[in-house]
Amino acid sequence: MSLNPYLLFKRIISSTRKSLVVAISILASGLIFVTVLRPSWSSNISFSSQQISYKWEEMFQSATAAIIANTLSSSNKKHVVDCDAQSTDWDALLDDESLTGAQLVKYLMWTNHSSCQLSHDFGGVMMDNPSGLAGQKAVCIDPRVAPKPGKCLVYSFGIQDDWSFDETMARYGCEVFAFDPSTGMTSHDHSPGNIHFHDWGLGDRDEYDHHFNWTIRSLTSIYKILSPRHGNKTIDYLKIDVEYSEWIALPEIISSGMLSKIRQLGIEVHLDKEASLEEHRVWAKLLRSLEKMGMVRFDSEYNPWYVGNFTKFPLSAPLGYEIAWYNSNLLHPLF
């Protein structure tokens, strides 16, 4: 996809002062070459946006939208913003009355990779257009936070037909409890691997969803039910991929104190293209509250197969982000 001159110039002025001088020189040289030496080129330049469609479950409408990204690069770079920046004051940014959608996405795309020296992706399914893994979860393998094979406990919410993360964690050496009310399967032990499946959904309370015929439970309730089986252990990795219900479940996880039992957390967070910027600000602040309580972000990857145009504020961007944290309050001892 070609960049129009405005987006190119906007990218240039956002770079460092030194890069600005070099970039302007290159740009000026290119313009002189195009306009003086090869004027015929200008009539052949076209600008287009790639159209990507994505179908979601019953509760959400199908979305077909163009990636016209002031937050994504149309070159070979993954994104425009410096998502590994350490200096941004995220609290001030999210509190700012002039917050834009692009700035909110910048926070979601912040990787903070330097906080984990060794991070591996577990699971995932190979996709097309673009080619790459979808549904993988980043796990920090640094000794102070890594799951210990033979002793680790994993809770995995959201399976559908993809057991790749659960089976990989089981091969790593963890006992895995998997949950999904939408598969039509009843509780059973999954093979291969040390995986125990329950047809429960994750929410903020115990209830029965009569519309979908689903049993919903809070994390607190599930942990209490399963404790006789796995003991009063730390959840070494909590995976949440529950199609927007993360915004319902997270406040209960925080208020109940369950965060103190979670060593690593991986969530696919979902944005709603029909929701307002203020609603998204509230969700972003919820994630920020995790970080202010000691959860250290070490990875963020946007979902290139799930994108859309927001209807209540000007933004075209990915609607899904795989974000991972570890709990700085639950570090393994050095010796």
Side-chain angles (χ1 to χ4, degrees), residues 155 157 179 200-206 216-228 230 232 235 238 249-262:
Y155 275 20
F157 289 92
F179 310 88
W200 305 334
L202 182 64
D204 62 348
R205 70 195 70 186
D206 289 3
I216 306 297
R217 300 188 188 279
S218 68
L219 182 64
T220 303
S221 175
I222 291 173
Y223 187 86
K224 183 177 180 180
I225 292 170
L226 296 179
S227 286
H230 59 56
N232 187 30
I235 301 172
L238 171 61
L250 275 175
E252 190 278 334
I253 293 174
I254 294 171
S255 63
S256 67
M258 279 300 298
L259 203 60
S260 65
K261 293 183 176 294
I262 300 167

Side-chain angles (χ1 to χ4, degrees), residues 179-184 197-202 212-216:
F179 310 88
D180 196 320
S182 68
T183 63
F197 176 80
H198 294 276
D199 57 347
W200 305 334
L202 182 64
F212 292 104
N213 294 321
W214 291 350
T215 297
I216 306 297

Side-chain angles (χ1 to χ4, degrees), residues 188-208:
H188 67 279
D189 287 341
H190 174 79
S191 180
N194 187 15
I195 304 171
H196 318 293
F197 176 80
H198 294 276
D199 57 347
W200 305 334
L202 182 64
D204 62 348
R205 70 195 70 186
D206 289 3
E207 60 183 352
Y208 187 77

Side-chain angles (χ1 to χ4, degrees), residues 18 25 45-46 80 88 120 138 151 167 204 226 247 271 313:
K18 181 178 179 180
S25 301
I45 299 176
S46 62
V80 176
T88 303
H120 288 174
K151 299 179 180 180
E167 291 174 354
D204 62 348
L226 296 179
W247 304 124
L271 307 187
F313 54 97

